[in-house]
């Protein structure tokens, strides 16, 4: 599932984000919706280095301001958090036009962590269903928070 570009693109569409990236524990993109980004790390550029503190503190959930991304210099806003078991980082990205659409509905400080949590829950449900990683637990954030994106 984490290696399936098509499945991750479906998830991105469902939760209305433009990009999904999966980072390993060293901060290297190993999967996601954009295979051309595989191999980029938190040391690859200024924009990506924003997330480097996550390697030292797995409790961090970071939301970056809109800024040019490292790979293509296109304007994006990214948010990231660790998987519940600490085996990978999930990052979602949105283009400014889509950020503006979401902003009209809710505040960004609420939306991005919620979107990332929804993404994590969907990934965990797929993994559990496929019995790939049955030991993973669903992100507990959604037990207290409801996020509507429609």
């Amino acid at each position: 599932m984490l290696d399936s570009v098509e499945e991750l693109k479906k998830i991105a569409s469902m939760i209305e984000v433009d990009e999904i990236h999966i980072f390993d524990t060293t901060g290297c993109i190993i999967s996601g919706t954009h295979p051309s980004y595989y191999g980029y790390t938190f040391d690859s550029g200024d924009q990506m280095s924003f997330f480097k503190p996550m390697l030292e503190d797995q409790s961090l959930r970071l939301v970056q301001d809109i800024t040019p991304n490292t790979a293509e210099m296109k304007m994006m806003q990214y948010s990231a958090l660790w998987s519940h078991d600490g085996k990978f980082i999930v990052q979602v990205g949105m283009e400014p036009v889509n950020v503006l659409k979401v902003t009209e509905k809710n505040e960004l400080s609420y939306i991005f962590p919620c979107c990332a949590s929804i993404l994590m829950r969907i990934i965990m449900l797929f993994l559990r269903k496929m019995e790939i990683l049955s030991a993973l637990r669903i992100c507990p954030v959604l037990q207290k928070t409801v996020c509507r994106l429609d």
Side-chain angles (χ1 to χ4, degrees):
M1 166 52 196
L2 293 178
D3 294 330
S4 171
V5 173
E6 291 310 311
E7 286 298 318
L8 290 171
K9 284 182 178 182
K10 287 178 190 175
I11 292 169
S13 177
M14 284 179 5
I15 63 171
E16 298 179 4
V17 298
D18 298 300
E19 299 177 6
I20 298 172
H21 305 291
I22 308 298
F23 290 79
D24 66 14
T25 57
T26 68
C28 179
I29 298 177
I30 57 169
S31 186
T33 55
H34 290 64
S36 61
Y37 293 7
Y38 296 1
Y40 279 87
T41 72
F42 291 153
D43 293 318
S44 294
D46 290 339
Q47 175 269 316
M48 292 189 68
S49 68
F50 174 85
F51 296 97
K52 193 169 184 173
M54 294 182 74
L55 299 177
E56 300 296 323
D57 183 354
Q58 290 191 0
S59 70
L60 291 176
R61 295 172 180 216
L62 299 180
V63 179
Q64 189 175 41
D65 289 333
I66 295 172
T67 190
N69 74 359
T70 297
E72 300 179 61
M73 298 307 292
K74 72 178 177 180
M75 297 301 286
M76 295 291 293
Q77 182 168 36
Y78 292 100
S79 175
L81 72 146
W82 279 93
S83 63
H84 193 269
D85 64 358
K87 291 186 177 181
F88 56 90
I89 296 170
V90 176
Q91 182 186 69
V92 295
M94 294 180 74
E95 295 179 9
V97 66
N98 294 325
V99 171
L100 291 174
K101 290 177 186 176
V102 171
T103 304
E104 293 173 0
K105 299 176 185 178
N106 294 290
E107 293 181 24
L108 288 177
S109 61
Y110 173 77
I111 283 295
F112 269 92
C114 188
C115 290
S117 295
I118 289 170
L119 172 62
M120 184 61 63
R121 183 178 176 133
I122 291 169
I123 289 172
M124 298 305 166
L125 288 172
F126 276 117
L127 292 174
R128 185 171 289 172
K129 183 177 179 182
M130 295 167 52
E131 298 179 3
I132 293 173
L133 299 171
S134 61
L136 293 176
R137 294 181 292 182
I138 293 174
C139 184
V141 172
L142 290 179
Q143 295 172 4
K144 297 180 182 176
T145 306
V146 175
C147 178
R148 288 187 50 113
L149 298 176
D150 52 7

